[in-house]
């Protein structure tokens, strides 16, 4: 019987984003996108799963699942519904939520931007417009000055490269454009936005005498390998995909070349991992035939998780927090073993030297899954979307994960 025990003080939690769970906020571009019929199952995030009104119940469920931390989002469109107009009530709400988490011994990792943009910002050209940096910085200043005493970890921007790629190249997120050069431009503006806010957060905490925060981004890392390892073209394509999708943004944010010691504007590496691809020249992607797939067709590939953790550690030498890892699973059949295999992969990476300090499973609750809608389930907690109060029930995987947390690892 093998045991996989984690270092003392390891953080165990799960992750949500604001608009995917909260509801009661519709002045953002993802809602408008849904109204245009762009969501696969034709649902929209107007109610999401009522987390905004049910946050106390959700925190009690986190506690029941033994969490010592959780990643939550705050919604820019709610806090700044009109340009330059801030809603104090929204801030009070988030203060209450953070206080309630602390009272249960659950530390907070807070995401300032997770895909959705206020409509007023998208009307001004969104992230194509350099001015977005100024707007984002002003919003961050307001939010951090009002909430920072309750926040240990910040994610400034969630998956900037995915936002640029899906919104400006694949066209699957708003604003639905398809232009390679625009994607590169947006990626670069999102890097400058992070850089601008990184220093600001530290200086606000310092000037108020609050605890020094840890500030980072959540970076989607996808494992790319050549379809045919003997083909030079496949190898070149796969390493270009890795550079473009995995490292370009980071190189800018860190202002450092690989293998140098920590520098730049990340206090930690927030790593989101879901799956990997095989790449055939020029950029055709394939699954690994032999692997189990989830309902979205993504390979379940824990070995790729190990490889990404080691690549990130060897390249950036920053403490790593896994800010998302999970799978889409209608009936919770795959998720328990998915968690087990990925936790074991993470344990191996720690044994091989990677400084990994925490794991946030995606997601706490079934939620509004981006381009797919409410029907695609990623949660440790089942949400009955049909019931009047969106009834919650901890799934088998949630119970299994709670045991891992209780034991600080896997005992069997
Ligand atoms: C995103 C989440 C999303 C999840 C599952 C991540 O890339 O940050 O917002 O729900 O993947 O697709």
């Amino acid at each position: 019987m093998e045991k996989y025990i984690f270092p003392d003080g390891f953080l165990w939690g799960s992750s949500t984003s604001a608009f995917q769970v909260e509801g009661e906020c519709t002045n953002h571009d993802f809602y408008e996108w849904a109204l245009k019929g762009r969501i696969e199952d034709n649902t929209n995030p107007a109610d999401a799963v009522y987390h905004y009104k049910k946050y106390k119940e959700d925190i009690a469920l986190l506690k029941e699942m033994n969490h010592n931390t959780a990643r939550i989002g705050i919604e820019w469109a709610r806090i700044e519904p009109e340009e330059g107009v801030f809603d104090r009530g929204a801030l009070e709400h988030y203060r209450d939520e953070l206080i309630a988490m602390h009272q249960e011994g659950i530390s907070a990792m807070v995401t300032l931007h997770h895909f959705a943009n206020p409509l007023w910002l998208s009307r001004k050209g969104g992230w194509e417009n350099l001015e977005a940096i100024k707007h984002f910085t002003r919003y961050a200043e307001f939010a951090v000055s009002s909430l920072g005493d309750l926040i240990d970890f910040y994610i400034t921007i969630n998956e900037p490269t995915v936002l640029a790629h899906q919104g400006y190249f694949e066209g699957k997120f708003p604003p639905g454009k398809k232009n390679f050069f625009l994607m590169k431009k947006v990626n670069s503006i999102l890097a400058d936005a992070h850089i601008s806010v990184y220093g600001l957060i530290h200086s606000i905490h310092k000037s108020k005498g609050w605890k020094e925060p840890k500030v980072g981004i959540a970076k989607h890392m996808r494992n790319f390998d050549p379809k045919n390892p003997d083909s030079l073209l496949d190898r070149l394509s796969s390493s270009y995909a890795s550079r473009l999708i995995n490292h370009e943004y980071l190189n800018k944010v860190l202002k450092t070349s690989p293998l140098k010691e920590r520098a730049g504007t990340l206090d930690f590496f927030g790593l989101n991992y879901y799956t990997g691809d095989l790449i055939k020249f020029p950029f055709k992607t394939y699954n690994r035939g032999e692997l189990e797939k989830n309902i979205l067709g993504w390979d379940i590939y824990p070995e790729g998780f190990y490889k990404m953790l080691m690549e990130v550690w060897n390249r950036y030498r920053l403490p790593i927090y896994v800010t998302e890892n999970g799978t889409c699973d209608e009936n919770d059949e795959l998720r328990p073993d998915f968690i087990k295999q990925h936790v074991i992969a993470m344990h191996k990476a720690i044994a091989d030297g990677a400084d990994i300090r925490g794991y946030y499973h995606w997601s706490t609750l079934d939620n509004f899954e981006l381009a797919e809608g409410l029907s695609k389930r990623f949660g440790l907690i089942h949400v009955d979307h049909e019931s009047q109060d969106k009834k919650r029930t901890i799934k088998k995987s949630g119970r299994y994960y709670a045991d891992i947390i209780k034991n600080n690892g896997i005992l069997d």
Side-chain angles (χ1 to χ4, degrees), residues 55-69:
Y55 71 93
K56 287 199 176 132
E57 180 182 336
D58 291 340
I59 292 169
L61 292 168
L62 292 177
K63 180 80 181 159
E64 201 177 326
M65 293 191 295
N66 300 329
H67 284 38
N68 53 36
T69 187

Side-chain angles (χ1 to χ4, degrees), residues 281-324:
F281 176 80
F283 292 111
K284 211 166 159 20
T285 54
Y286 290 85
N287 286 120
R288 285 175 161 76
E290 70 283 9
L291 294 180
E292 195 164 15
K293 324 270 171 253
N294 74 11
I295 197 172
L296 297 174
W298 303 354
D299 281 349
I300 297 184
Y301 188 37
E303 199 188 320
F305 186 34
Y306 168 80
K307 288 201 279 183
M308 281 293 102
L309 288 164
M310 293 313 292
E311 182 174 316
V312 162
W313 172 244
N314 289 327
R315 203 168 164 132
Y316 299 109
R317 292 285 188 226
L318 285 163
I320 299 171
Y321 292 83
V322 177
T323 37
E324 286 180 30

Side-chain angles (χ1 to χ4, degrees), residues 17 19-20 71 114-115 158-159 162 220 272 274 296 298 324 362 367-370 372 378:
S17 86
F19 93 93
Q20 291 179 268
R71 179 178 165 212
H114 198 127
F115 295 147
N158 179 70
E159 297 191 346
V162 173
H220 177 77
N272 291 1
Y274 288 89
L296 297 174
W298 303 354
E324 286 180 30
W362 183 273
N367 57 40
F368 184 86
E369 171 59 17
L370 309 175
E372 282 81 12
F378 276 83

Side-chain angles (χ1 to χ4, degrees), residues 42 117 172 175 185 272 316 348:
N42 272 319
N117 296 300
K172 290 197 177 146
K185 179 180 170 193
N272 291 1
Y316 299 109
K348 180 163 159 33

Side-chain angles (χ1 to χ4, degrees), residues 79 231 330 406:
I79 292 174
S231 152
E330 186 59 24
K406 189 174 76 200

